C-alpha cells in the first residue's frame, strides 16, 4: 500500500475551478439565451402587434376608401342629376364670370333667344338688350349682385331674329368654399305670353269700364230723351180732354198730331235701341239681294223726301253697279245720312248724293254745304251715344250714325266723314260690288 501523497492545493483548486467556471459560463449563456429568447418573444409580440395594427389600419383605410368611393359615386350621381336638371330645365340658365362674360348657357337659352352657345360664350348678356330698360336699373342690378345680394326683376329683351320678348329673371352670386364670389348665375323664364294675356286683360278691363260708362250715359240719355215725348204726349192728352169738353175741335186736332209725333219719336228711339243691340250681338240678319245701286238710291231718295217733308236731294251717278245688299237696311243707311245732312246742313244747304266706284267697290257719298263739323268731333261721330257739341240739344239717343256704321260694316263695307268748318261735310260708305 502506497503511502498517501500530499496534495497540491493549487492544482486541486484549478481542477475544481474549471467546472465552476463552465457552470458559470453555461449559466451566463443560458441567461443570455433566455434574455435573447425573451427579447425575441417581445419582438415577436411587438411585430405581431404591429402586424395586427397594420392590418387594422389597412382595414380602416380600406373602409375609408370604400366610403370615399361611395361618396364620390353619390357626388357624381348628384352632379349628373344637377347637370341634367340644368340642361333640361324649362328655365333659361346663364353663368358668367365676375366680369359678366358668359361661360355657360343651357339649351333653353338657345330655344328662347335663338343664339347658340358658340355664339355667346365669352360675350356679355347685354347682346340681348332691347334698349327699353333704363341704364340706372342695370347699375342697380350690378351693385346688388356684386355685393352678394340677389336681384329679381323683368327684362324686355330682343331675340336673335329681332323679336322682342319678356323675361322674369333672378340673378345671384356663386361662392366658393371660402365664401368668395367666383361667378354669377341668372335663372330666367320667358313670360311673353303671360304679358300678352295681362295686356289683353288690362285692355279688356278698360273696355269694360268704358262700356259701363257709356251704358250709364246711355241710361241717362234714355231716361231723359224718352221722358220728353212722353211728357208732351201726356200734356196733350190733358189738353185733348179739356178741348173735347169745350168742343174745341181745332185744339183736338193739334193735340192728336202732337201725340202722333211723340209716338213716332218713341218708336224711332225704341227701333234704334233694338237695332243697336242686335247689331252689337250679331243677331241682326241681313236679307241680301242683288240691287241696281243707281235705281235703288233714286227711289229711296224719293221715298225719303216724302217722309221728311224736305226737298229732294240731288243725285249724281258716276258709275252703274250692282251690289248685294239688304234693301231695307240700305235704305236705313241712306235715310240716316240724308236726314242728318238736311237737319244739320241748314235750310238753304243743298244735299248731293254721289255714286261712284273705287278699287272694285261701290262708293256712295252724301254731301251738304252746311257749317261743317268741328275737327275734335270727327273721330267720335260713329261712336255709340256720341253727340257733337252743336247737336247736344237735338232729339234722339245719339245712335243714328253708330247704327249706320254697324249696318255698313255688316255689309262688308267702310264708312268715313270728311268735313271742314264752314265748307260742309261729306259722309261716304262703300259696298262690295257683284
Amino acid at each position: 500500500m502506497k503511502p498517501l501523497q500530499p496534495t497540491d492545493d493549487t492544482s486541486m483548486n484549478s481542477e475544481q475551478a474549471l467546472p465552476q467556471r463552465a457552470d458559470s459560463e453555461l449559466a451566463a449563456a443560458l441567461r443570455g439565451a433566455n434574455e435573447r429568447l425573451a427579447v425575441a418573444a417581445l419582438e415577436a409580440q411587438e411585430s405581431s402587434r404591429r402586424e395586427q395594427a397594420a392590418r387594422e389600419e389597412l382595414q380602416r383605410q380600406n373602409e375609408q376608401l370604400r366610403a370615399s368611393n361611395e361618396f364620390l359615386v353619390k357626388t357624381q350621381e348628384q352632379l349628373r342629376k344637377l347637370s341634367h336638371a340644368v340642361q333640361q330645365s324649362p328655365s333659361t340658365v346663364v353663368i358668367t364670370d365676375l366680369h359678366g362674360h358668359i361661360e355657360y348657357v343651357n339649351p333653353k337659352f338657345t330655344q328662347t333667344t335663338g343664339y347658340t352657345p358658340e355664339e355667346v360664350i365669352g360675350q356679355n348678356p347685354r347682346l340681348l338688350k332691347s334698349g327699353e330698360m333704363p341704364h340706372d336699373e342695370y347699375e342697380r342690378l350690378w351693385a346688388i349682385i356684386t355685393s352678394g345680394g340677389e336681384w329679381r326683376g323683368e327684362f324686355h329683351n330682343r331675340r336673335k331674329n329681332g323679336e322682342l320678348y319678356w323675361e322674369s329673371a333672378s340673378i345671384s352670386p356663386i361662392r366658393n368654399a371660402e365664401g368668395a364670389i367666383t361667378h354669377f348665375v341668372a335663372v330666367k323664364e320667358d313670360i311673353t305670353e303671360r304679358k300678352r294675356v295681362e295686356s289683353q286683360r288690362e285692355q279688356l278691363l278698360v273696355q269694360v269700364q268704358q262700356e259701363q260708362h257709356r251704358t250709364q250715359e246711355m241710361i241717362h240719355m234714355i231716361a231723359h230723351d224718352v221722358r220728353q215725348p212722353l211728357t208732351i204726349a201726356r200734356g196733350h192728352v190733358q189738353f185733348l180732354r179739356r178741348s173735347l169738353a169745350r168742343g174745341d175741335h181745332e185744339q183736338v186736332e193739334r193735340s192728336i198730331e202732337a201725340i202722333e209725333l211723340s209716338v213716332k219719336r218713341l218708336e224711332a228711339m225704341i227701333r234704334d235701341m233694338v237695332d243697336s243691340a242686335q247689331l252689337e250681338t250679331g243677331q241682326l240678319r241681313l236679307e241680301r239681294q242683288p240691287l241696281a245701286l243707281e235705281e235703288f238710291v233714286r227711289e229711296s231718295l224719293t221715298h225719303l223726301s216724302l217722309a221728311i217733308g224736305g226737298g229732294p236731294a240731288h243725285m249724281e251717278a258716276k258709275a252703274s253697279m250692282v251690289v248685294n245688299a239688304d234693301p231695307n237696311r240700305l235704305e236705313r243707311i241712306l235715310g240716316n245720312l240724308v236726314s242728318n245732312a238736311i237737319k244739320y246742313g241748314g235750310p238753304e244747304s243743298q244735299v248731293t248724293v254721289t255714286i261712284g266706284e273705287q278699287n272694285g267697290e261701290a262708293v256712295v257719298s252724301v254731301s251738304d254745304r252746311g257749317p261743317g263739323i268741328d275737327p275734335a268731333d270727327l273721330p267720335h261721330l260713329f261712336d255709340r251715344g256720341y253727340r257733337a257739341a252743336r247737336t247736344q240739344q237735338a232729339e234722339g239717343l245719339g245712335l243714328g250714325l253708330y247704327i249706320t256704321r254697324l249696318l255698313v260694316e255688316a255689309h262688308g263695307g267702310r264708312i268715313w266723314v270728311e268735313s271742314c268748318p264752314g265748307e260742309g261735310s261729306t259722309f261716304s260708305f262703300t259696298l262690295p260690288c257683284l
Side-chain angles (χ1 to χ4, degrees):
M1 181 175 198
K2 292 180 179 181
L4 294 174
Q5 296 292 330
T7 61
D8 188 346
D9 293 337
T10 303
S11 174
M12 184 179 295
N13 289 339
S14 298
E15 292 175 354
Q16 291 176 346
L18 287 173
Q20 292 176 351
R21 189 167 51 250
D23 291 341
S24 177
E25 291 175 355
L26 178 60
L30 289 173
R31 284 196 302 272
N34 289 334
E35 289 175 357
R36 286 193 295 275
L37 287 173
V39 170
L42 291 173
E43 291 178 347
Q45 290 176 353
E46 180 63 21
S47 177
S48 176
R49 188 187 64 77
R50 285 198 298 268
E51 289 178 0
Q52 179 64 27
R55 283 194 298 271
E56 291 175 354
E57 177 63 20
L58 181 60
Q59 183 178 0
R60 186 181 64 81
Q61 291 179 356
N62 285 337
E63 290 175 353
Q64 289 180 341
L65 181 59
R66 184 168 58 253
S68 297
N69 287 337
E70 291 177 355
F71 177 76
L72 180 60
V73 170
K74 289 181 180 179
T75 301
Q76 290 175 338
E77 178 65 16
Q78 289 177 346
L79 289 174
R80 185 185 66 81
K81 290 179 181 178
L82 178 60
S83 176
H84 287 178
V86 172
Q87 286 289 103
Q88 300 172 18
S89 172
S91 299
T92 295
V93 178
V94 180
I95 298 177
T96 72
D97 62 16
L98 291 177
H99 302 289
H101 300 131
I102 297 174
E103 293 189 357
Y104 170 82
V105 294
N106 69 341
K108 186 64 177 181
F109 174 89
T110 300
Q111 180 182 341
T112 301
T113 67
Y115 288 101
T116 64
E118 293 76 15
E119 292 176 306
V120 298
I121 297 300
Q123 300 291 325
N124 191 287
R126 69 171 63 97
L127 87 162
L128 300 174
K129 288 173 59 175
S130 65
E132 296 188 8
M133 185 172 176
H135 181 70
D136 292 346
E137 184 62 20
Y138 284 106
E139 291 184 345
R140 191 178 77 86
L141 182 161
W142 191 251
I144 290 173
I145 62 175
T146 53
S147 63
E150 177 187 16
W151 181 89
R152 288 180 178 269
E154 294 178 353
F155 294 112
H156 200 196
N157 283 337
R158 192 179 300 278
R159 307 185 204 272
K160 184 179 179 180
N161 63 5
E163 179 185 347
L164 293 174
Y165 69 103
W166 283 95
E167 281 187 316
S168 173
S170 169
I171 305 177
S172 56
I174 299 175
R175 299 178 183 272
N176 60 16
E178 288 73 32
I181 297 175
T182 60
H183 296 80
F184 299 107
V185 59
V187 179
K188 301 185 284 185
E189 179 185 359
D190 189 337
I191 58 171
T192 305
E193 180 62 18
R194 191 187 80 190
K195 282 286 189 179
R196 185 188 66 80
V197 172
E198 289 177 353
S199 176
Q200 288 181 341
R201 185 173 59 213
E202 290 174 359
Q203 292 175 2
L204 181 60
L205 179 60
V206 171
Q207 291 174 358
V208 169
Q209 291 173 341
Q210 292 175 344
E211 189 66 24
Q212 288 176 340
H213 180 68
R214 286 196 296 265
T215 300
Q216 290 174 351
E217 289 183 337
M218 182 62 64
I219 292 172
H220 177 73
M221 281 193 300
I222 291 173
H224 176 270
D225 293 342
V226 171
R227 187 182 297 115
Q228 185 179 15
L230 285 175
T231 301
I232 293 173
R234 186 183 301 112
H236 278 283
V237 167
Q238 294 173 356
F239 276 125
L240 187 58
R241 286 174 178 169
R242 289 197 294 268
S243 298
L244 285 172
R246 292 194 307 267
D248 188 348
H249 298 289
E250 184 177 347
Q251 181 61 45
V252 168
E253 188 65 30
R254 287 197 298 268
S255 294
I256 291 174
E257 291 176 356
I259 292 172
E260 287 179 344
L261 180 60
S262 296
V263 170
K264 288 180 180 179
R265 289 174 180 172
L266 279 174
E267 287 177 343
M269 291 180 187
I270 293 171
R271 183 189 62 178
D272 284 349
M273 287 188 287
V274 171
D275 285 351
S276 65
Q278 289 181 332
L279 285 165
E280 289 169 346
T281 58
Q283 296 178 0
L284 186 69
R285 300 181 62 180
L286 299 179
E287 298 180 1
R288 299 173 186 262
Q289 63 184 64
L291 298 174
L293 189 58
E294 179 182 353
E295 180 182 351
F296 179 83
V297 170
R298 194 180 304 277
E299 291 180 358
S300 296
L301 292 179
T302 300
H303 298 159
L304 187 60
S305 64
L306 294 175
I308 63 178
H314 176 67
M315 190 183 81
E316 296 179 1
K318 299 180 180 180
S320 179
M321 291 157 290
V322 176
V323 296
N324 189 31
D326 182 324
N328 293 326
R329 306 304 178 183
L330 182 54
E331 189 167 3
R332 176 81 180 278
I333 293 170
L334 287 168
N336 284 349
L337 295 179
V338 172
S339 61
N340 276 0
I342 294 173
K343 184 189 301 183
Y344 301 117
E348 304 300 326
S349 175
Q350 181 180 356
V351 178
T352 302
V353 180
T354 305
I355 301 173
E357 183 179 4
Q358 184 177 2
N359 298 326
E361 292 182 310
V363 181
V364 180
S365 300
V366 179
S367 303
D368 65 64
R369 297 179 182 175
I373 301 171
D374 191 317
D377 292 323
L378 290 176
H380 309 289
L381 285 180
F382 299 102
D383 294 346
R384 186 178 70 172
Y386 185 80
R387 290 180 177 180
R390 67 186 181 89
T391 65
Q392 290 295 320
Q393 303 303 318
E395 298 174 353
L397 301 175
L399 294 176
L401 289 178
Y402 173 67
I403 292 173
T404 301
R405 174 175 67 83
L406 294 181
L407 287 173
V408 170
E409 292 174 351
H411 280 84
R414 298 171 290 110
I415 188 168
W416 66 95
V417 60
E418 298 169 304
S419 182
C420 291
E423 298 182 11
S425 306
T426 298
F427 286 80
S428 303
F429 66 93
T430 65
L431 292 172
C433 294
L434 287 179

